[in-house]
């Protein structure tokens, strides 16, 4: 499962280290998520979506619309 993490992170000017600290995960995990070597668990996927205020579908490349449908 590839996620759209690096694209969003770089676009917003956030370093891997800052994101890792803000999400309370290891910086190596962020790097591995971005390279596709590791997949985030459901809770981490939700944290990432909430952090960037985008939908999980957007993170997972299921849509090009980043808006959250509530």
């Amino acid at each position: 499962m590839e996620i759209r993490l690096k694209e969003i992170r770089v676009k917003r000017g956030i370093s891997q280290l800052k994101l890792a600290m803000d999400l309370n995960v290891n910086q190596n995990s962020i790097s591995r998520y971005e390279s596709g070597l590791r997949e985030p668990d459901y809770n981490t996927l939700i944290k990432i979506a909430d952090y960037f205020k985008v939908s999980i579908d957007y993170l997972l490349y299921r849509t090009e619309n980043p808006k959250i449908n509530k």
Side-chain angles (χ1 to χ4, degrees):
M1 163 180 58
E2 185 178 353
I3 65 170
R4 195 188 306 251
L5 179 56
K6 184 174 184 177
E7 177 185 328
I8 298 169
R9 181 183 61 75
V10 170
K11 190 179 210 181
R12 304 224 182 150
I14 298 170
S15 70
Q16 283 185 349
L17 182 58
K18 173 163 177 34
L19 179 60
M21 290 171 48
D22 290 347
L23 296 179
N24 197 29
V25 299
N26 188 298
Q27 187 267 331
N28 287 331
S29 294
I30 299 296
S31 177
R32 289 184 180 119
Y33 299 155
E34 290 183 354
S35 66
L37 295 174
R38 185 173 176 192
E39 296 179 350
D41 60 30
Y42 293 122
N43 288 331
T44 304
L45 197 58
I46 291 167
K47 282 183 186 179
I48 293 169
D50 288 348
Y51 182 86
F52 288 110
K53 295 180 177 60
V54 298
S55 70
I56 291 175
D57 280 343
Y58 182 73
L59 280 178
L60 299 178
Y61 289 98
R62 292 174 44 93
T63 183
E64 292 301 313
N65 181 359
K67 293 185 180 179
I68 300 168
N69 295 323
K70 289 191 175 185

